[in-house]
Amino acid sequence: MNIRDIRIENFDYPLPDERIARHPLAQRDRCLLLFKDSDGALSTRSFHELPGLLPAGSMLVYNNTRVINARLRFRKGEAADGALIEIFCLEPVEPADYACNFASVSGCSWTCFVGNSKRWKSGELLMPLSIDGHDFTLRATRVSREGNTSVVRFDWDDREITFSRIISAVGEIPIPPYLNRGTEESDSTDYQTVFSHIDGSVAAPTAGLHFTPEVLEAIDAVGIARRELTLHVGAGTFQPVKSDTIGEHDMHSEFIAVDRSLIGELAATERRIIAVGTTSVRTLESLYHLGCRLAAGLPADVLPQWYPYDPSHPDLPVAEAMRAILSHLDTTGENTFVASTRLMIAPGYCYRVVKGMVTNFHQPKSTLLLLVSAFLASDPANPDWRAIYDYALADSRYRFLSYGDACLFL
């Protein structure tokens, strides 16, 4: 069957509302870990046991992105009780570089979702602010619209204040909509991984939320290499597939950045690569295909969602694809490979880089569930996604989605 003909209804399952975790456990690494070993056997462990379950000599790769306070609330007009307009920053437009945008003084623009959009037909939205003794007004102007997003220009009249300081002071952490609750002060800490340090995501790489300094120390102690990369998670990660078949689904684009040193290791290592979270999976697999595009003389600034399934795909060895990226970096003089990915991973996809993954339990009919299913289906002798989810649903202790429990698939 053509991969585009896969019906999303086959990736649905009943998820009772009471099984969705509203908050994480007080001790992150004491959540449950559903472990599927390389023989396909399932067992229930605790996450703090992870270091002893990872294959000897493997390499653990995780996403270092940090969730920004992407949700800004304005009141229309000068009245404090004017219409509430919510602006949800998704991706920088000008400057397009994340770091440069956050460092902007006086103005920048973003692609945004606009809540209560009908009440904002024209004009500026104003927000009087006082940050660290600086009094000024933040102004928002809608520049254009495309589909359900808008480009919004932000301006302010104090050149000592960066956009990063503004959103840190007055923005809100955008917790997942399926939590069905408002953002709480605890989310500022709970919805960040312990290894997050590169600002840019509007959603957390949630498999990383279970890690603690103690678990990382234990991983080091057993000789597992730890490496990091960056994928800034977009709001599209929460969008279920609404079309009947996945071929009709427009995959969202996400920014990735990988240091030369890790690409060099991937070109040479014999270590088994274990990805923490679907975002790390998507980055590592995208890296391979972008290397193939470079080797074929194709543009590699954006990875099209169906490229891996193209009959003209060169299907290079991993080392050769990584060397193509290293050659590209030599030519450009850069030390970090930066691109955007729209990669769709679904059953029928052949994993090239990732040999194991730590992940959470995902929403029904989601692209994340498709990604996990593709990994499990790569070995017909192992249980499929439905058998694994049935196993967890049958045990009332398991908690689902962002703040829920974890899985380790080998």
Side-chain angles (χ1 to χ4, degrees):
M1 183 177 69
N2 188 309
I3 192 168
R4 301 190 193 203
D5 295 330
I6 291 175
R7 300 188 65 81
I8 196 61
E9 66 185 14
N10 295 327
F11 296 85
D12 194 10
Y13 69 93
L15 178 58
D17 185 68
E18 63 270 17
R19 301 297 295 272
I20 299 174
R22 308 297 178 198
H23 298 87
L25 297 180
Q27 201 166 346
R28 294 188 185 201
D29 60 10
R30 298 294 158 158
C31 72
L32 297 182
L33 177 68
L34 194 161
F35 176 43
K36 182 198 76 64
D37 65 24
S38 55
D39 294 323
L42 302 180
S43 60
T44 297
R45 306 294 188 96
S46 176
F47 193 84
H48 76 277
E49 298 178 69
L50 177 72
L53 300 175
L54 295 172
S58 57
M59 178 189 294
L60 194 72
V61 181
Y62 49 76
N63 188 359
N64 62 17
T65 190
R66 184 170 178 81
V67 183
I68 63 172
N69 290 8
R71 184 175 282 126
L72 299 168
R73 300 180 189 272
F74 288 79
R75 287 287 180 182
K76 194 170 186 298
E78 298 183 4
D81 59 351
L84 181 65
I85 310 295
E86 181 180 288
I87 299 178
F88 187 167
C89 297
L90 299 175
E91 186 176 20
V93 174
E94 179 58 39
D97 178 81
Y98 280 84
C100 292
N101 195 293
F102 291 129
S104 295
V105 293
S106 77
C108 61
S109 59
W110 283 69
T111 298
C112 305
F113 287 144
V114 177
N116 204 11
S117 180
K118 293 181 180 179
R119 300 296 299 275
W120 185 23
K121 291 184 172 63
S122 62
E124 294 182 330
L125 300 177
L126 305 178
M127 184 189 298
L129 296 176
S130 180
I131 298 176
D132 299 333
H134 294 260
D135 297 323
F136 60 98
T137 298
L138 176 65
R139 302 183 300 277
T141 306
R142 180 145 52 185
V143 176
S144 62
R145 303 188 196 194
E146 183 176 348
N148 64 345
T149 63
S150 299
V151 173
V152 176
R153 172 77 186 179
F154 298 102
D155 295 285
W156 58 100
D157 50 6
D158 191 321
R159 297 190 61 83
E160 293 188 34
I161 299 294
T162 63
F163 188 63
S164 178
R165 289 176 71 183
I166 290 173
I167 61 173
S168 294
V170 300
E172 293 182 7
I173 286 281
I175 61 172
Y178 47 65
L179 293 184
N180 291 319
R181 64 171 176 81
T183 301
E184 300 172 6
E185 186 176 346
S186 59
D187 292 312
S188 295
T189 300
D190 291 344
Y191 204 53
Q192 302 284 8
T193 67
V194 293
F195 34 70
S196 65
H197 63 93
I198 305 295
D199 286 344
S201 279
V202 299
T206 54
L209 295 179
H210 311 292
F211 286 82
T212 61
E214 292 76 18
V215 168
L216 295 179
E217 289 174 8
I219 288 170
D220 293 340
V222 295
I224 305 296
R226 291 194 287 120
R227 302 291 183 265
E228 60 184 51
L229 44 70
T230 304
L231 179 145
H232 289 323
V233 189
T237 192
F238 296 129
Q239 299 299 316
V241 179
K242 296 180 180 178
S243 55
D244 291 336
T245 61
I246 67 171
E248 302 169 78
H249 181 72
D250 187 23
M251 196 68 182
H252 58 286
S253 175
E254 290 175 317
F255 169 95
I256 64 173
V258 185
D259 286 345
R260 171 193 288 270
S261 59
L262 177 54
I263 297 168
E265 282 193 90
L266 294 172
T269 189
E270 295 183 359
R271 289 177 180 268
R272 187 171 179 178
I273 307 300
I274 312 297
V276 176
T278 58
T279 62
S280 296
V281 170
R282 198 165 183 231
T283 304
L284 290 165
E285 293 296 315
S286 294
L287 202 61
Y288 166 79
H289 295 293
L290 289 163
C292 287
R293 288 179 67 83
L294 285 169
L298 297 172
D301 54 334
V302 178
L303 178 62
Q305 73 181 76
W306 300 113
Y307 178 69
Y309 313 98
D310 191 321
S312 65
H313 190 294
D315 200 23
L316 302 175
V318 171
E320 190 172 338
M322 297 302 160
R323 285 196 294 269
I325 299 177
L326 293 173
S327 178
H328 170 76
L329 292 176
D330 289 340
T331 300
T332 61
E334 301 291 335
N335 284 317
T336 303
F337 180 68
V338 174
S340 293
T341 179
R342 298 182 63 238
L343 175 62
M344 167 70 84
I345 298 179
Y349 177 83
C350 177
Y351 275 83
R352 269 73 170 199
V353 180
V354 174
K355 303 304 180 185
M357 72 174 71
V358 178
T359 189
N360 281 22
F361 293 97
H362 302 294
Q363 286 180 284
K365 296 185 177 182
S366 65
T367 57
L368 305 182
L369 186 54
L370 289 168
L371 180 153
V372 168
S373 177
F375 181 81
L376 296 169
S378 62
D379 184 353
N382 285 334
D384 63 11
W385 76 268
R386 194 173 293 279
I388 288 171
Y389 274 58
D390 285 347
Y391 177 96
L393 286 165
D395 187 335
S396 62
R397 296 175 298 165
Y398 275 99
R399 305 156 76 242
F400 282 66
L401 307 186
S402 294
Y403 279 147
D405 295 311
C407 306
L408 172 61
F409 299 142
L410 298 177

